[in-house]
Amino acid sequence: MALSRRTLLGLAAGVPASAALAACGSSGPGSGKGATYWYLNGQPQEGVRAGAVDAFNKAHSKTQIKDTTYQNDAYKTKIKTAIGAGKAPTIIWGWGGGTLRTYVAAGQVEDLTSWFDSHSDIKKRLFPSSFGAATVDGKIYAMPCETVQPIILYYNRRVFERIGAEPPKSWDDIMALVPRFNAKGIAPFSLGGQSRWTNMMWLEFLFDRIGGAQLFQSIAEGEKNAWSQPDAIDALTKVQDLAKAHGFVKGFSSITADSNADQALLYTDRAAMMLHGAWSYGIQKNDGKKFVSSGALGYMTFPPVEGGKGDPSDTVGNPAQYLSISSKASAEQKKVARDFFATGVLQDEEVKKWIDNGSVPIRLGTEKLLAASDSADFLKFTYDIASKAKVFGQSWDQALSPTAAETLLDNIVKLFQLSISPKQFADNLNAVTGK
Amino acid sequence: MSAVSHRPPPRRQQRDVLPWLVAPALLIFVGFAVIPLFGVFALSFTTWDGIGAIHPSGLTSWRAVLTHPGLPHALWVTFLVMAVSWAFQTPASILIGVFLAGDQRYRAVLGVVYFVPLMLSSAAIAIAYKALLNPNFGLGAGLGIDLLSQDWLGRPGLAFGVVVFVVSWQFVPFHSLIYQGGVQQIPKSLYEAAQLDGAGRVRQFFSITLPQLKYTIITSSTLMVVGSLTFFDLIFILTEGGPGDATRVLALDMYKRGFQASLMGPASVIAVILVLVGLALALLLRRLGGRDAGASQLEGV
């Protein structure tokens, strides 16, 4: 990147390359006793993460963790580049699944299986379902942390009252609500479509509700032409039907989720519904003034599709977040990281903060705390979804390899813009996921 | 050079020292441009996910890129951004440059104001425009003007137009400055002679100013054209190459393949293609400028 840019600039006018040089340099494993830790910024989550590090640093004056934060999309690139260059932080924050698998294949992260065997108390206090995306070929390569985040269908009670409608109980209800909201100048669904993974959540649910969990399973396992199965084509067609009926907010392809503009559409009454992760509740509580506290925010799980094979209790999303230890870190740094896993992650104070922000931490036995929270209803709802789902599917872009995920996200955007047909979408994806 | 020709010893000393003076620059150029260039060339014959081991794979990456429909599309978008932004910027820059070259004091003030966009970073410009163009919370919605609240970045044609406009907004000041300098180099005597012959302002512009600016136009165009190959930050923040791949220029295509899809081999292929296209364009523009591009334009005046 920097290379070709510099070369071309040099060709053009002999412009000095100082600007490109300034872009280099990063904090790597470094030396000394301190461990490094990179994670995502954005409130309210960033504050909880930073709080856990501060608490750990205070308790361990000799061994410090130095934390650095990044924006979501930028982080995904940065961490990959850093690991590739051998400059990974000691503690690698991630989503598990397909990306973790590539780290493991390259020998970049520590195998934590035996550590968990000798520290079974740590393993036992976490949601068992959170370990699936941390496990590659039977070995555990990451410590599950933070919160469980199923995808939820949020709605705005105020605008539903305004048009005198009930929340949708089926896909047909959704399609029937679309013209009613549009007639009142309210967008039926908010969507931050430029971020791409936001659109993907729609397909995750439609695939599950129409074809059942085994539909995506066959795709993830690389079955030939899996994307062209009739149920898959049906789901792809349905999402285009919704787009054609102007189900998504005007300009959705230029809205990013990083800026929370999609959430703002919901709490400012410009959109009626929004499919989003459980983390969205905290954002709306933080940014939406009285929207949440006045009870205007409604939430439900994605409704069934008529004649679909899926179990309506199934859900998708993030079973947890994950912390891995870089195999390139020094022995001392690795020890600091393991100490942090044992005594710094999901301690009582952190658990309390997550609950205050409206999230369900993946630690077991928090029911009382959840019930005492001022977000008790939402937390119970999330806890029930996460604990009762027969299948908790991991987000597709995390479950697939980065290469397949990129093709998937690119094509999803085109599908939502109606610039490719369901059949073309299936063909493009079969080419990268089929064996 | 001729001033020292009658004193041989210092001259020899100079000849010994001069090559060493370029050494630091050469070292930096080799270290940061030539070596990485070969590195990228070598990488284009491998398969690498950016994290694990690098596997030599012959022409696989080249074949993958050259047979993928994404490449002609990215080349086309790159060319289109280049051509349209050139066609938009050049007349605008010349007119502003000629205007600013006048000697009234208010023009100097305007010149400074015009220059402001160039001092902002591309990222800041992109973020600002993105906020202004937001159909729900942007300028159009804020002022209640429906015409302004289009889905500017969500529809392929509009998004392309926005990219060209924002790029031009950023770089027109720079090129205006070049043209302003160029116009001020034109001898006043030419205009005085034209006035005596009864030529009006328009005639003076087309018969004196434009022809005299020939080399300035070539310089400015070279910068625009070759520079447009490197447009990345602005487009990346504004549209991420979208909607779909409507604004996915080569540089963005390279980034997306390399760092988002973890395909370093094909990304390196595109980097090599970018270098080749840039070289070809720079050489072509030099040709257009003619052999005498470096010669004085004032001879005989």
Side-chain angles (χ1 to χ4, degrees), chain A residues 368-388:
Chain A
K368 268 190 194 158
L369 279 172
L370 293 174
S373 153
D374 58 353
S375 308
D377 289 344
F378 178 79
L379 295 177
K380 183 174 186 313
F381 169 79
T382 310
Y383 192 88
D384 286 351
I385 286 190
S387 54
K388 286 178 186 162

mmCIF file with all atom_site columns, all heavy atoms in Angstrom, chain A residues 368-388:
data_model
loop_
_atom_site.group_PDB
_atom_site.id
_atom_site.type_symbol
_atom_site.label_atom_id
_atom_site.label_alt_id
_atom_site.label_comp_id
_atom_site.label_asym_id
_atom_site.label_entity_id
_atom_site.label_seq_id
_atom_site.pdbx_PDB_ins_code
_atom_site.Cartn_x
_atom_site.Cartn_y
_atom_site.Cartn_z
_atom_site.occupancy
_atom_site.B_iso_or_equiv
_atom_site.pdbx_formal_charge
_atom_site.auth_seq_id
_atom_site.auth_comp_id
_atom_site.auth_asym_id
_atom_site.auth_atom_id
_atom_site.pdbx_PDB_model_num
ATOM 1   N N   . LYS A 1 368 ? -29.612 -13.060 39.850 1.00 0.00 ? 368 LYS A N   1
ATOM 2   C CA  . LYS A 1 368 ? -30.069 -12.082 40.850 1.00 0.00 ? 368 LYS A CA  1
ATOM 3   C C   . LYS A 1 368 ? -29.681 -10.675 40.450 1.00 0.00 ? 368 LYS A C   1
ATOM 4   O O   . LYS A 1 368 ? -30.462 -9.737  40.556 1.00 0.00 ? 368 LYS A O   1
ATOM 5   C CB  . LYS A 1 368 ? -29.466 -12.430 42.211 1.00 0.00 ? 368 LYS A CB  1
ATOM 6   C CG  . LYS A 1 368 ? -30.362 -13.334 43.016 1.00 0.00 ? 368 LYS A CG  1
ATOM 7   C CD  . LYS A 1 368 ? -29.844 -13.462 44.436 1.00 0.00 ? 368 LYS A CD  1
ATOM 8   C CE  . LYS A 1 368 ? -30.550 -14.617 45.116 1.00 0.00 ? 368 LYS A CE  1
ATOM 9   N NZ  . LYS A 1 368 ? -29.763 -15.119 46.242 1.00 0.00 ? 368 LYS A NZ  1
ATOM 10  N N   . LEU A 1 369 ? -28.422 -10.536 40.013 1.00 0.00 ? 369 LEU A N   1
ATOM 11  C CA  . LEU A 1 369 ? -27.944 -9.218  39.583 1.00 0.00 ? 369 LEU A CA  1
ATOM 12  C C   . LEU A 1 369 ? -28.769 -8.716  38.405 1.00 0.00 ? 369 LEU A C   1
ATOM 13  O O   . LEU A 1 369 ? -29.108 -7.541  38.317 1.00 0.00 ? 369 LEU A O   1
ATOM 14  C CB  . LEU A 1 369 ? -26.476 -9.304  39.165 1.00 0.00 ? 369 LEU A CB  1
ATOM 15  C CG  . LEU A 1 369 ? -25.435 -9.275  40.287 1.00 0.00 ? 369 LEU A CG  1
ATOM 16  C CD1 . LEU A 1 369 ? -24.064 -9.554  39.728 1.00 0.00 ? 369 LEU A CD1 1
ATOM 17  C CD2 . LEU A 1 369 ? -25.468 -7.915  40.977 1.00 0.00 ? 369 LEU A CD2 1
ATOM 18  N N   . LEU A 1 370 ? -29.068 -9.639  37.464 1.00 0.00 ? 370 LEU A N   1
ATOM 19  C CA  . LEU A 1 370 ? -29.848 -9.264  36.283 1.00 0.00 ? 370 LEU A CA  1
ATOM 20  C C   . LEU A 1 370 ? -31.218 -8.755  36.703 1.00 0.00 ? 370 LEU A C   1
ATOM 21  O O   . LEU A 1 370 ? -31.707 -7.736  36.212 1.00 0.00 ? 370 LEU A O   1
ATOM 22  C CB  . LEU A 1 370 ? -30.001 -10.452 35.327 1.00 0.00 ? 370 LEU A CB  1
ATOM 23  C CG  . LEU A 1 370 ? -28.728 -10.955 34.653 1.00 0.00 ? 370 LEU A CG  1
ATOM 24  C CD1 . LEU A 1 370 ? -29.015 -12.216 33.848 1.00 0.00 ? 370 LEU A CD1 1
ATOM 25  C CD2 . LEU A 1 370 ? -28.139 -9.901  33.746 1.00 0.00 ? 370 LEU A CD2 1
ATOM 26  N N   . ALA A 1 371 ? -31.838 -9.479  37.657 1.00 0.00 ? 371 ALA A N   1
ATOM 27  C CA  . ALA A 1 371 ? -33.184 -9.123  38.076 1.00 0.00 ? 371 ALA A CA  1
ATOM 28  C C   . ALA A 1 371 ? -33.203 -7.800  38.834 1.00 0.00 ? 371 ALA A C   1
ATOM 29  O O   . ALA A 1 371 ? -34.203 -7.078  38.813 1.00 0.00 ? 371 ALA A O   1
ATOM 30  C CB  . ALA A 1 371 ? -33.766 -10.230 38.940 1.00 0.00 ? 371 ALA A CB  1
ATOM 31  N N   . ALA A 1 372 ? -32.072 -7.458  39.486 1.00 0.00 ? 372 ALA A N   1
ATOM 32  C CA  . ALA A 1 372 ? -32.036 -6.227  40.266 1.00 0.00 ? 372 ALA A CA  1
ATOM 33  C C   . ALA A 1 372 ? -31.726 -5.007  39.410 1.00 0.00 ? 372 ALA A C   1
ATOM 34  O O   . ALA A 1 372 ? -31.842 -3.872  39.858 1.00 0.00 ? 372 ALA A O   1
ATOM 35  C CB  . ALA A 1 372 ? -30.990 -6.354  41.363 1.00 0.00 ? 372 ALA A CB  1
ATOM 36  N N   . SER A 1 373 ? -31.321 -5.239  38.166 1.00 0.00 ? 373 SER A N   1
ATOM 37  C CA  . SER A 1 373 ? -30.906 -4.127  37.305 1.00 0.00 ? 373 SER A CA  1
ATOM 38  C C   . SER A 1 373 ? -32.117 -3.318  36.838 1.00 0.00 ? 373 SER A C   1
ATOM 39  O O   . SER A 1 373 ? -33.238 -3.823  36.782 1.00 0.00 ? 373 SER A O   1
ATOM 40  C CB  . SER A 1 373 ? -30.168 -4.688  36.104 1.00 0.00 ? 373 SER A CB  1
ATOM 41  O OG  . SER A 1 373 ? -30.282 -3.835  35.006 1.00 0.00 ? 373 SER A OG  1
ATOM 42  N N   . ASP A 1 374 ? -31.882 -2.046  36.478 1.00 0.00 ? 374 ASP A N   1
ATOM 43  C CA  . ASP A 1 374 ? -33.005 -1.260  35.962 1.00 0.00 ? 374 ASP A CA  1
ATOM 44  C C   . ASP A 1 374 ? -33.331 -1.650  34.516 1.00 0.00 ? 374 ASP A C   1
ATOM 45  O O   . ASP A 1 374 ? -34.285 -1.144  33.933 1.00 0.00 ? 374 ASP A O   1
ATOM 46  C CB  . ASP A 1 374 ? -32.750 0.251   36.100 1.00 0.00 ? 374 ASP A CB  1
ATOM 47  C CG  . ASP A 1 374 ? -31.502 0.700   35.381 1.00 0.00 ? 374 ASP A CG  1
ATOM 48  O OD1 . ASP A 1 374 ? -30.762 -0.177  34.891 1.00 0.00 ? 374 ASP A OD1 1
ATOM 49  O OD2 . ASP A 1 374 ? -31.256 1.924   35.321 1.00 0.00 ? 374 ASP A OD2 1
ATOM 50  N N   . SER A 1 375 ? -32.535 -2.528  33.922 1.00 0.00 ? 375 SER A N   1
ATOM 51  C CA  . SER A 1 375 ? -32.864 -3.075  32.604 1.00 0.00 ? 375 SER A CA  1
ATOM 52  C C   . SER A 1 375 ? -33.330 -4.523  32.738 1.00 0.00 ? 375 SER A C   1
ATOM 53  O O   . SER A 1 375 ? -33.179 -5.310  31.798 1.00 0.00 ? 375 SER A O   1
ATOM 54  C CB  . SER A 1 375 ? -31.643 -3.030  31.689 1.00 0.00 ? 375 SER A CB  1
ATOM 55  O OG  . SER A 1 375 ? -31.091 -1.740  31.666 1.00 0.00 ? 375 SER A OG  1
ATOM 56  N N   . ALA A 1 376 ? -33.889 -4.854  33.896 1.00 0.00 ? 376 ALA A N   1
ATOM 57  C CA  . ALA A 1 376 ? -34.169 -6.261  34.206 1.00 0.00 ? 376 ALA A CA  1
ATOM 58  C C   . ALA A 1 376 ? -34.956 -6.988  33.113 1.00 0.00 ? 376 ALA A C   1
ATOM 59  O O   . ALA A 1 376 ? -34.621 -8.116  32.749 1.00 0.00 ? 376 ALA A O   1
ATOM 60  C CB  . ALA A 1 376 ? -34.916 -6.351  35.525 1.00 0.00 ? 376 ALA A CB  1
ATOM 61  N N   . ASP A 1 377 ? -35.984 -6.335  32.557 1.00 0.00 ? 377 ASP A N   1
ATOM 62  C CA  . ASP A 1 377 ? -36.811 -7.004  31.543 1.00 0.00 ? 377 ASP A CA  1
ATOM 63  C C   . ASP A 1 377 ? -35.990 -7.371  30.307 1.00 0.00 ? 377 ASP A C   1
ATOM 64  O O   . ASP A 1 377 ? -36.060 -8.490  29.809 1.00 0.00 ? 377 ASP A O   1
ATOM 65  C CB  . ASP A 1 377 ? -37.971 -6.099  31.121 1.00 0.00 ? 377 ASP A CB  1
ATOM 66  C CG  . ASP A 1 377 ? -39.003 -5.973  32.230 1.00 0.00 ? 377 ASP A CG  1
ATOM 67  O OD1 . ASP A 1 377 ? -38.962 -6.813  33.150 1.00 0.00 ? 377 ASP A OD1 1
ATOM 68  O OD2 . ASP A 1 377 ? -39.810 -5.036  32.169 1.00 0.00 ? 377 ASP A OD2 1
ATOM 69  N N   . PHE A 1 378 ? -35.236 -6.403  29.844 1.00 0.00 ? 378 PHE A N   1
ATOM 70  C CA  . PHE A 1 378 ? -34.442 -6.675  28.642 1.00 0.00 ? 378 PHE A CA  1
ATOM 71  C C   . PHE A 1 378 ? -33.392 -7.748  28.911 1.00 0.00 ? 378 PHE A C   1
ATOM 72  O O   . PHE A 1 378 ? -33.156 -8.625  28.088 1.00 0.00 ? 378 PHE A O   1
ATOM 73  C CB  . PHE A 1 378 ? -33.769 -5.393  28.142 1.00 0.00 ? 378 PHE A CB  1
ATOM 74  C CG  . PHE A 1 378 ? -32.909 -5.622  26.940 1.00 0.00 ? 378 PHE A CG  1
ATOM 75  C CD1 . PHE A 1 378 ? -33.487 -5.733  25.678 1.00 0.00 ? 378 PHE A CD1 1
ATOM 76  C CD2 . PHE A 1 378 ? -31.528 -5.766  27.040 1.00 0.00 ? 378 PHE A CD2 1
ATOM 77  C CE1 . PHE A 1 378 ? -32.712 -5.970  24.556 1.00 0.00 ? 378 PHE A CE1 1
ATOM 78  C CE2 . PHE A 1 378 ? -30.747 -6.014  25.922 1.00 0.00 ? 378 PHE A CE2 1
ATOM 79  C CZ  . PHE A 1 378 ? -31.344 -6.109  24.685 1.00 0.00 ? 378 PHE A CZ  1
ATOM 80  N N   . LEU A 1 379 ? -32.770 -7.684  30.079 1.00 0.00 ? 379 LEU A N   1
ATOM 81  C CA  . LEU A 1 379 ? -31.721 -8.649  30.398 1.00 0.00 ? 379 LEU A CA  1
ATOM 82  C C   . LEU A 1 379 ? -32.283 -10.059 30.538 1.00 0.00 ? 379 LEU A C   1
ATOM 83  O O   . LEU A 1 379 ? -31.670 -11.023 30.081 1.00 0.00 ? 379 LEU A O   1
ATOM 84  C CB  . LEU A 1 379 ? -30.989 -8.224  31.672 1.00 0.00 ? 379 LEU A CB  1
ATOM 85  C CG  . LEU A 1 379 ? -30.222 -6.917  31.527 1.00 0.00 ? 379 LEU A CG  1
ATOM 86  C CD1 . LEU A 1 379 ? -29.589 -6.516  32.842 1.00 0.00 ? 379 LEU A CD1 1
ATOM 87  C CD2 . LEU A 1 379 ? -29.148 -7.044  30.455 1.00 0.00 ? 379 LEU A CD2 1
ATOM 88  N N   . LYS A 1 380 ? -33.465 -10.159 31.124 1.00 0.00 ? 380 LYS A N   1
ATOM 89  C CA  . LYS A 1 380 ? -34.073 -11.478 31.243 1.00 0.00 ? 380 LYS A CA  1
ATOM 90  C C   . LYS A 1 380 ? -34.405 -12.017 29.849 1.00 0.00 ? 380 LYS A C   1
ATOM 91  O O   . LYS A 1 380 ? -34.194 -13.192 29.553 1.00 0.00 ? 380 LYS A O   1
ATOM 92  C CB  . LYS A 1 380 ? -35.339 -11.398 32.101 1.00 0.00 ? 380 LYS A CB  1
ATOM 93  C CG  . LYS A 1 380 ? -35.990 -12.754 32.316 1.00 0.00 ? 380 LYS A CG  1
ATOM 94  C CD  . LYS A 1 380 ? -37.141 -12.695 33.285 1.00 0.00 ? 380 LYS A CD  1
ATOM 95  C CE  . LYS A 1 380 ? -37.691 -14.078 33.607 1.00 0.00 ? 380 LYS A CE  1
ATOM 96  N NZ  . LYS A 1 380 ? -37.914 -14.928 32.433 1.00 0.00 ? 380 LYS A NZ  1
ATOM 97  N N   . PHE A 1 381 ? -34.916 -11.111 29.006 1.00 0.00 ? 381 PHE A N   1
ATOM 98  C CA  . PHE A 1 381 ? -35.232 -11.481 27.625 1.00 0.00 ? 381 PHE A CA  1
ATOM 99  C C   . PHE A 1 381 ? -33.987 -12.026 26.910 1.00 0.00 ? 381 PHE A C   1
ATOM 100 O O   . PHE A 1 381 ? -34.003 -13.095 26.297 1.00 0.00 ? 381 PHE A O   1
ATOM 101 C CB  . PHE A 1 381 ? -35.795 -10.237 26.926 1.00 0.00 ? 381 PHE A CB  1
ATOM 102 C CG  . PHE A 1 381 ? -35.935 -10.345 25.440 1.00 0.00 ? 381 PHE A CG  1
ATOM 103 C CD1 . PHE A 1 381 ? -37.007 -11.030 24.877 1.00 0.00 ? 381 PHE A CD1 1
ATOM 104 C CD2 . PHE A 1 381 ? -35.012 -9.742  24.594 1.00 0.00 ? 381 PHE A CD2 1
ATOM 105 C CE1 . PHE A 1 381 ? -37.148 -11.110 23.499 1.00 0.00 ? 381 PHE A CE1 1
ATOM 106 C CE2 . PHE A 1 381 ? -35.145 -9.825  23.215 1.00 0.00 ? 381 PHE A CE2 1
ATOM 107 C CZ  . PHE A 1 381 ? -36.211 -10.511 22.674 1.00 0.00 ? 381 PHE A CZ  1
ATOM 108 N N   . THR A 1 382 ? -32.873 -11.288 27.026 1.00 0.00 ? 382 THR A N   1
ATOM 109 C CA  . THR A 1 382 ? -31.624 -11.716 26.379 1.00 0.00 ? 382 THR A CA  1
ATOM 110 C C   . THR A 1 382 ? -31.116 -13.028 26.978 1.00 0.00 ? 382 THR A C   1
ATOM 111 O O   . THR A 1 382 ? -30.714 -13.948 26.251 1.00 0.00 ? 382 THR A O   1
ATOM 112 C CB  . THR A 1 382 ? -30.540 -10.641 26.558 1.00 0.00 ? 382 THR A CB  1
ATOM 113 O OG1 . THR A 1 382 ? -31.074 -9.388  26.185 1.00 0.00 ? 382 THR A OG1 1
ATOM 114 C CG2 . THR A 1 382 ? -29.324 -10.935 25.703 1.00 0.00 ? 382 THR A CG2 1
ATOM 115 N N   . TYR A 1 383 ? -31.153 -13.103 28.296 1.00 0.00 ? 383 TYR A N   1
ATOM 116 C CA  . TYR A 1 383 ? -30.667 -14.301 28.989 1.00 0.00 ? 383 TYR A CA  1
ATOM 117 C C   . TYR A 1 383 ? -31.479 -15.520 28.541 1.00 0.00 ? 383 TYR A C   1
ATOM 118 O O   . TYR A 1 383 ? -30.923 -16.583 28.247 1.00 0.00 ? 383 TYR A O   1
ATOM 119 C CB  . TYR A 1 383 ? -30.804 -14.088 30.502 1.00 0.00 ? 383 TYR A CB  1
ATOM 120 C CG  . TYR A 1 383 ? -30.094 -15.119 31.341 1.00 0.00 ? 383 TYR A CG  1
ATOM 121 C CD1 . TYR A 1 383 ? -28.759 -14.935 31.697 1.00 0.00 ? 383 TYR A CD1 1
ATOM 122 C CD2 . TYR A 1 383 ? -30.749 -16.256 31.797 1.00 0.00 ? 383 TYR A CD2 1
ATOM 123 C CE1 . TYR A 1 383 ? -28.096 -15.859 32.475 1.00 0.00 ? 383 TYR A CE1 1
ATOM 124 C CE2 . TYR A 1 383 ? -30.093 -17.194 32.579 1.00 0.00 ? 383 TYR A CE2 1
ATOM 125 C CZ  . TYR A 1 383 ? -28.771 -16.996 32.915 1.00 0.00 ? 383 TYR A CZ  1
ATOM 126 O OH  . TYR A 1 383 ? -28.107 -17.908 33.674 1.00 0.00 ? 383 TYR A OH  1
ATOM 127 N N   . ASP A 1 384 ? -32.804 -15.348 28.443 1.00 0.00 ? 384 ASP A N   1
ATOM 128 C CA  . ASP A 1 384 ? -33.667 -16.453 28.017 1.00 0.00 ? 384 ASP A CA  1
ATOM 129 C C   . ASP A 1 384 ? -33.377 -16.863 26.581 1.00 0.00 ? 384 ASP A C   1
ATOM 130 O O   . ASP A 1 384 ? -33.279 -18.052 26.273 1.00 0.00 ? 384 ASP A O   1
ATOM 131 C CB  . ASP A 1 384 ? -35.139 -16.051 28.154 1.00 0.00 ? 384 ASP A CB  1
ATOM 132 C CG  . ASP A 1 384 ? -35.572 -16.032 29.615 1.00 0.00 ? 384 ASP A CG  1
ATOM 133 O OD1 . ASP A 1 384 ? -34.773 -16.491 30.457 1.00 0.00 ? 384 ASP A OD1 1
ATOM 134 O OD2 . ASP A 1 384 ? -36.684 -15.557 29.899 1.00 0.00 ? 384 ASP A OD2 1
ATOM 135 N N   . ILE A 1 385 ? -33.242 -15.871 25.694 1.00 0.00 ? 385 ILE A N   1
ATOM 136 C CA  . ILE A 1 385 ? -32.938 -16.207 24.295 1.00 0.00 ? 385 ILE A CA  1
ATOM 137 C C   . ILE A 1 385 ? -31.651 -17.017 24.235 1.00 0.00 ? 385 ILE A C   1
ATOM 138 O O   . ILE A 1 385 ? -31.581 -18.076 23.624 1.00 0.00 ? 385 ILE A O   1
ATOM 139 C CB  . ILE A 1 385 ? -32.760 -14.927 23.442 1.00 0.00 ? 385 ILE A CB  1
ATOM 140 C CG1 . ILE A 1 385 ? -34.115 -14.284 23.170 1.00 0.00 ? 385 ILE A CG1 1
ATOM 141 C CG2 . ILE A 1 385 ? -32.068 -15.252 22.129 1.00 0.00 ? 385 ILE A CG2 1
ATOM 142 C CD1 . ILE A 1 385 ? -34.040 -13.177 22.149 1.00 0.00 ? 385 ILE A CD1 1
ATOM 143 N N   . ALA A 1 386 ? -30.619 -16.479 24.918 1.00 0.00 ? 386 ALA A N   1
ATOM 144 C CA  . ALA A 1 386 ? -29.300 -17.101 24.827 1.00 0.00 ? 386 ALA A CA  1
ATOM 145 C C   . ALA A 1 386 ? -29.304 -18.492 25.456 1.00 0.00 ? 386 ALA A C   1
ATOM 146 O O   . ALA A 1 386 ? -28.678 -19.416 24.938 1.00 0.00 ? 386 ALA A O   1
ATOM 147 C CB  . ALA A 1 386 ? -28.263 -16.219 25.514 1.00 0.00 ? 386 ALA A CB  1
ATOM 148 N N   . SER A 1 387 ? -30.026 -18.652 26.573 1.00 0.00 ? 387 SER A N   1
ATOM 149 C CA  . SER A 1 387 ? -29.948 -19.943 27.255 1.00 0.00 ? 387 SER A CA  1
ATOM 150 C C   . SER A 1 387 ? -30.950 -20.953 26.706 1.00 0.00 ? 387 SER A C   1
ATOM 151 O O   . SER A 1 387 ? -30.755 -22.152 26.841 1.00 0.00 ? 387 SER A O   1
ATOM 152 C CB  . SER A 1 387 ? -30.122 -19.750 28.766 1.00 0.00 ? 387 SER A CB  1
ATOM 153 O OG  . SER A 1 387 ? -31.321 -19.049 29.017 1.00 0.00 ? 387 SER A OG  1
ATOM 154 N N   . LYS A 1 388 ? -32.035 -20.476 26.060 1.00 0.00 ? 388 LYS A N   1
ATOM 155 C CA  . LYS A 1 388 ? -33.046 -21.415 25.587 1.00 0.00 ? 388 LYS A CA  1
ATOM 156 C C   . LYS A 1 388 ? -32.945 -21.753 24.105 1.00 0.00 ? 388 LYS A C   1
ATOM 157 O O   . LYS A 1 388 ? -33.637 -22.652 23.636 1.00 0.00 ? 388 LYS A O   1
ATOM 158 C CB  . LYS A 1 388 ? -34.439 -20.855 25.888 1.00 0.00 ? 388 LYS A CB  1
ATOM 159 C CG  . LYS A 1 388 ? -34.785 -20.947 27.367 1.00 0.00 ? 388 LYS A CG  1
ATOM 160 C CD  . LYS A 1 388 ? -36.142 -20.351 27.665 1.00 0.00 ? 388 LYS A CD  1
ATOM 161 C CE  . LYS A 1 388 ? -36.372 -20.324 29.167 1.00 0.00 ? 388 LYS A CE  1
ATOM 162 N NZ  . LYS A 1 388 ? -37.448 -19.395 29.537 1.00 0.00 ? 388 LYS A NZ  1
#
